[in-house]
């Protein structure tokens, strides 16, 4: 088994878990902060995330615990092994006194995938900033 690395981002967000959950699971909201998609919050549902950069991620819902946890595959098929990514993204929502602690972990980066790993580190910071903007303007 090859050792893999993970990217993790945690942020306390001043909104209840239910509101953040909607942004994580409703396709029109996912599109606003992450990517175009055909997501459906059902375990086993296969969907795509389509990036502005032209890439398509093949995903499958692995686990759902409403308002608490969401996990799906995040795979990118590429001829170059450094970009041929098979990973899992897991969101965990923990209520706090002032909102929700949202944690995202993307696991499965191989040691030879330094650019993909770096891209995820930068990308998730941007996605979280977008998510906070979406949450601030939605009910």
């Amino acid at each position: 088994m090859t050792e893999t690395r993970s990217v993790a981002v945690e942020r306390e967000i001043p909104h209840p878990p239910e509101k953040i959950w909607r942004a994580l699971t409703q396709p029109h909201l996912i599109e606003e902060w992450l990517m175009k998609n055909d997501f459906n919050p059902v375990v086993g549902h296969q969907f795509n995330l389509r990036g502005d950069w032209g890439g398509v991620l093949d995903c499958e819902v692995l686990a759902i615990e409403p308002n608490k946890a969401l996990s799906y595959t995040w795979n990118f098929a590429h001829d170059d092994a450094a970009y041929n990514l098979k990973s899992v993204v897991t969101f965990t929502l923990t209520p706090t006194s002032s909102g929700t602690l949202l944690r995202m972990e993307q696991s499965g980066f191989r040691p030879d995938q330094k650019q993909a790993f770096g891209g995820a580190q930068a990308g998730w910071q941007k996605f979280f900033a977008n998510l906070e903007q979406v949450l601030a303007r939605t009910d």
Side-chain angles (χ1 to χ4, degrees):
M1 178 86 188
T2 306
E3 191 175 315
T4 60
R5 298 192 297 168
S6 297
V7 170
V9 178
E10 280 189 358
R11 201 162 291 170
E12 185 151 351
I13 299 177
H15 298 286
E18 296 77 15
K19 182 173 184 176
I20 297 169
W21 181 257
R22 283 194 301 274
L24 295 178
T25 59
Q26 292 184 359
H28 69 285
L29 294 175
I30 296 169
E31 182 174 345
E32 284 189 53
W33 69 270
L34 187 60
M35 291 180 226
K36 292 182 174 142
N37 66 90
D38 53 348
F39 181 83
N40 191 358
V42 175
V43 171
H45 175 70
Q46 295 182 354
F47 65 101
N48 295 119
L49 291 170
R50 294 176 293 288
D52 293 339
W53 41 276
V56 176
L57 299 162
D58 297 310
C59 308
E60 180 179 341
V61 179
L62 301 175
I64 290 187
E65 197 176 343
N67 304 316
K68 293 184 179 172
L70 171 65
S71 182
Y72 48 81
T73 60
W74 178 287
N75 298 333
F76 183 63
H78 198 283
D79 293 339
D80 183 338
Y83 295 98
N84 188 36
L85 181 62
K86 291 193 180 306
S87 68
V88 173
V89 170
T90 302
F91 294 97
T92 310
L93 294 82
T94 306
T96 65
S97 59
S98 59
T100 304
L101 178 66
L102 178 62
R103 182 176 202 278
M104 182 291 312
E105 182 174 354
Q106 183 176 4
S107 59
F109 295 94
R110 295 187 319 272
D112 65 335
Q113 295 181 312
K114 287 181 177 48
Q115 285 179 295
F117 182 77
Q121 286 180 306
W124 282 110
Q125 293 296 334
K126 188 180 111 199
F127 293 146
F128 264 55
N130 293 346
L131 174 62
E132 290 190 77
Q133 290 177 351
V134 169
L135 290 166
R137 68 174 181 263
T138 57
D139 289 328

